[in-house]
Structures are given as C-alpha cells and as structure tokens.
Amino acid sequence: MDMADIQVIKQHLIDPEICIRCNTCEATCPVNAITHDSHNYVVDPQKCNLCMDCISPCPTGSIDNWRMVPRVRAYTVEEQFGWDVLPDELSSEQLAGGLGQAPEVTAARSDGEVIAVAEAVIAEVQPFNSTQFGATQPPWSAAHCYTNLYGPKSQRKSIRATVTGNVRVTEVGREYDTHHIVLDFGAMPFPVLEGQSIGIVPPGVDSQGRPHHARQYSIASPRNGERPGYNNLSLTVKRVLEDYQGNPVRGVASNYLCDLQVGDTVEVIGPFGASFLMPNHPRSNIVMICTGTGSAPMRAMTEWRRRLRKSGKFDDGKLMLFFGARTPQELPYFGPLQSLPRDFIDINLAFSRVPGEPRRYVQDMMRERVADLAPLLADPDTYIYVCGLKAMEEGVVLALRDVAEQSGIAWEPLAAALKEQGRLHLETY
Ligand SMILES: Cc1cc2nc3c(=O)[nH]c(=O)nc-3n(C[C@H](O)[C@H](O)[C@H](O)COP(=O)(O)OP(=O)(O)OC[C@H]3O[C@@H](n4cnc5c(N)ncnc54)[C@H](O)[C@@H]3O)c2cc1C
Ligand code: SF4
Ligand code: SF4
C-alpha cells in the first residue's frame, strides 16, 4: 500500500444543522472550494488548500468543523450534499479498517499541516479570480458591531420582529417586484450597523418536511433606525419568481417577506457580518458599486452619511455610487436617489435593457469615469463596496484593475493594500 493511502487526514466540513446558507464562505474562498446546492453548503476536499480564510467570516461557526478520515475516504461533495447532520468521528478501528476502500481524494490536512493539496488545483483556477481580492477585515475606523445575538450560536435562538411597513420600491405593474420592508424590534436589543445583514426564518417546512433554513437580507437602514431614534430597520427584498436559469419558481423567503402585512411578526436571527462595514473617520471616501438589491447596504451607508451631514457632524469625504439595473423602472429607490444633492453623492446609473439604447453595465460606467475614480483609488482613505448579483463581481474587480492601470497605479500592490486594510469589500449572492 502506498504511504499516501494510509494517511489519516483532518477533513474540512460544514455543519448542515447550524449553517444559515448565507454564502459568506463561498464568497470568501479564494480557490472556489466551497459550493452549494438547494440543501447544503459543502467543501470540496479536492480544492480546499486549508488557507483558513473562510473561518472567521462565517457568522455561525458552522464552517469550523473537522473530521479525521483516511485520506482515501475523504467525504465527497456529493456525500456532503445529502447530509442533514455531520457524521460522527470515526473510531480508530474504523479509521484503520477504512483504509484503501474508496476512490482517491486529495486535499485535507493532518495536525494543522497541509498535506495534500493544491498547487495543481490553484494553477487550474480561473485566470482572474475576483474573490481573492475581497477584504475580510473591516475599515480601521468602523464602529464596533454585534453579531450572532440571536441564532444557532446564541442562547436566544431567534427574535420576533413586527412589520411596520411594506412598500414596493420598483414600478408597480411590471414582472419585477422589490419591496422596502420595515421591521421593529420593540424593546428587544437588536443593534446593527450599515453593511450588516439579518436572517429571516420563513415559517413552515421544505419539501423534505424540514423547517425552512434562514435566508439572509442586507440591512438597508442606518444604525439609528429606519426612522431615526427607533428600534427598527429596513430590508430591500426582491421577489424571486424565477431561478438563475430563468425557470419559474416561487422563492420561499422573498415571497413570504414581500407578502407580509403591517402588524405581522417574523422570526429573525443575526445580526451577521463583521467586515462589510463603513469607515467613520473624516475625509474617508466611499465608492459603492451595486446592482438590484445590492443597493440595500449602499442605501444604509448613504443615509447615515446624509444624517451626519445634516446634523453638521460630517462634512468631508466623497461618496461615489455606480448602480446597475436592467431599466430605470427596475431600479429600487430610483425616485429618492434622484433627489440627493449632487455635491453630496456622485451618482452613476447603468441600464442594460433600455429599448433603443446600448447595454451599459456598472463596469462600463466605472471605465467612463476613470478620471474621477482613479484619484479615489489612489487615496488610502477610500473604501470600496461591491454588492449584488454574483455575476457582476468579476467584471467590477477587472474594471477597478483597468482604472488603476490606465492611471499609472500598479494593481498588485494596490489590490494587496485594499484587501489588507479592509478597503475592498465584495458581497455578491
Ligand atoms: C449576504 C447576503 C445578502 C443578501 N441580501 C439580500 C437583499 O438585501 N435582498 C434580497 O432580495 N436578497 C438578498 N439576498 C438573497 C436572499 O438571501 C435569498 O437568497 C433570496 O431572497 C432568495 O430566497 P428565496 O427563499 O426567495 O428563494 P429560494 O426558495 O431559496 O430559491 C428558489 C430558487 O430561486 C433561486 N434563487 C435564489 N435567489 C435568487 C435570486 N436572488 N435571483 C434569482 N434566483 C434566485 C434559487 O437557486 C432556487 O432555485 C442576500 C443573500 C446573501 C447571501
Ligand atoms: S480553508 Fe481556504 S481553501 Fe478551504 S474552504 Fe476555506 S477558504 Fe476555501
Ligand atoms: S453559515 Fe458559515 S458555513 Fe454556512 S454558508 Fe454562511 S459562512 Fe458558509
């Protein structure tokens, strides 16, 4: 028997019982080792190089699970998709007895040390992997945030919030439907910051009879409430009526939320997220790049700055927004956005499906605005936030690279600084 066959390794696994399917780990993993189906998030043992980047961003700790297994019997992605609970640890007899029975599997670690891996896998990874550029640290001047006050990691498993508002923020009468939903926590503590998200637990069970898992939604209001001084927050929820392939579906949580009436109560967990937070120091610039409901955290940050400015407490630092949608009618908050003063925020809208007009995406607008974006990129007080559909992420990071290089700014050191200093945040789903 080959030495590699008798090696026992510690395999990286995700606990399906407490994972809230928030996608943070998948968005963080620099080698795309994490994937999901409609049931579970899983780690591909053939790709994971044990870099540990995913461990601290996970809001529930479900990512931090390890099992000793014979290397040749590492759990495959297909096996993990079928799990409702993590498998028990193997006994030493099972470890010994299992050797040599299963197909060859490569990655995992032994005693903290990488033993199989991944140079080949890393070399295979797509030529431009945008995920690797995202920061996992907040800006140095971010306010302290609370996470996991309610949920699987907490003593309090959830909290009930009351719906105090539910209005449509895209044009009525079209197939797309996005709602601005206000949730009030009454006298219960639920402190949040702009850029954080919450989990909504839809009532009922899925097709297998299991309780629905929570879905995550970005908070769209500032830290002092949707209405200043109130213990409430808002969400921007798009009703999912077709899947990513365009097939008709009825998304469980998004339809539940969009149909809520004022006075209804919802089960909430969270807050989640400790890095996609805004800077608070004077002269800090914020560049926001979003599509669709990715506008939620941008609305929260913009509104917080607007409130500070109005009260005379913050009078410096630029705001630049790149916001993409298929049409103006589909763009959430299109009306209110137009009324923000131009000396407060530099707004760039990109529409990709306006009849008779060329398709324009946020990355096109970024390239067009190179003369104004480049000085911001060069400024160490600039913080960049990207939120929206997964498909936008690569194009946006490539556009940042192009803007930098066209302006004589070397991309590699800039990208390293943006990541290390918590200045480029990617949240796509
Ligand atoms: C960090 C984070 C923040 C998020 N913030 C927001 C937010 O602010 N607003 C918001 O509306 N959503 C947000 N989402 C997405 C949200 O969590 C849900 O995934 C989404 O609402 C669909 O849930 P569902 O229960 O309605 O659909 P499901 O019942 O879970 O899915 C139904 C089908 O639709 C597909 N599907 C899932 N999501 C989408 C989508 N967005 N577009 C097209 N097809 C989809 C699924 O693959 C599945 O086939 C966020 C996700 C993450 C990870
Ligand atoms: S440890 Fe690193 S490579 Fe493995 S899943 Fe986590 S982020 Fe990806
Ligand atoms: S809860 Fe943790 S393991 Fe589950 S999807 Fe989110 S980051 Fe990944």
Side-chain angles (χ1 to χ4, degrees), residues 117-400:
V117 202
E119 276 165 32
V121 171
I122 292 167
E124 265 173 35
V125 168
Q126 57 198 32
F128 190 83
N129 174 10
S130 52
T131 307
Q132 65 181 304
F133 296 106
T136 51
Q137 307 268 44
W140 69 264
S141 61
H144 171 79
C145 66
Y146 293 88
T147 57
N148 290 298
L149 293 177
Y150 304 87
K153 261 188 134 178
S154 165
Q155 284 184 337
R156 290 165 297 188
K157 296 300 167 215
S158 65
I159 179 174
R160 288 207 84 81
T162 305
V163 179
T164 54
N166 184 352
V167 291
R168 194 172 167 155
V169 285
T170 47
E171 200 175 274
V172 177
R174 309 290 290 256
E175 70 275 21
Y176 39 80
D177 185 8
T178 302
H179 285 235
H180 182 73
I181 297 166
V182 184
L183 301 179
D184 192 284
F185 293 90
M188 289 302 288
F190 203 87
V192 297
L193 287 175
E194 308 78 13
Q196 287 193 288
S197 55
I198 65 169
I200 297 288
V201 187
V205 293
D206 64 18
S207 55
Q208 326 280 300
R210 291 176 299 236
H212 287 302
H213 64 77
R215 270 66 161 183
Q216 226 178 351
Y217 294 91
S218 302
I219 295 162
S221 49
R223 62 192 77 183
N224 64 341
E226 168 67 14
R227 182 168 173 186
Y230 280 68
N231 190 16
N232 61 13
L233 57 76
S234 63
L235 306 176
T236 312
V237 182
K238 181 185 170 208
R239 192 189 285 281
V240 170
L241 292 174
E242 51 181 44
D243 65 14
Y244 294 109
Q245 289 72 43
N247 306 312
V249 290
R250 201 168 167 82
V252 171
S254 59
N255 281 278
Y256 162 67
L257 284 168
C258 289
D259 291 338
L260 285 169
Q261 304 293 314
V262 169
D264 288 345
T265 64
V266 288
E267 191 176 350
V268 178
I269 58 174
F272 301 120
S275 69
F276 197 104
L277 303 178
M278 64 187 288
N280 289 303
H281 61 284
R283 291 174 301 286
S284 51
N285 309 306
I286 303 181
V287 175
M288 298 169 278
I289 306 157
C290 60
T291 54
T293 54
S295 58
M298 314 312 184
R299 178 184 184 270
M301 292 186 196
T302 304
E303 180 58 13
W304 178 239
R305 281 270 164 113
R306 197 190 65 79
R307 287 181 191 176
L308 286 179
R309 190 181 194 239
K310 207 171 150 200
S311 65
K313 291 190 186 136
F314 199 100
D315 58 358
D316 227 341
K318 293 194 170 71
L319 295 187
M320 192 172 196
L321 172 70
F322 295 91
F323 193 171
R326 287 189 295 191
T327 61
Q329 294 76 21
E330 219 170 311
L331 192 126
Y333 310 114
F334 184 64
L337 207 51
Q338 301 301 313
S339 56
L340 290 173
R342 290 296 169 261
D343 67 340
F344 167 61
I345 181 168
D346 180 347
I347 299 174
N348 301 270
L349 305 178
F351 301 114
S352 59
R353 297 284 194 289
V354 176
E357 288 186 20
R359 291 184 177 193
R360 297 173 89 212
Y361 297 95
V362 281
Q363 52 267 41
D364 301 323
M365 299 292 296
M366 292 165 68
R367 290 194 175 87
E368 281 171 31
R369 296 295 312 275
V370 60
D372 298 293
L373 193 50
L376 286 175
L377 273 187
D379 185 339
D381 285 315
T382 296
Y383 295 78
I384 304 167
Y385 299 84
V386 181
C387 190
L389 287 178
K390 185 115 216 117
M392 76 183 287
E393 187 180 294
E394 184 180 312
V396 166
V397 179
L398 276 170
L400 286 173

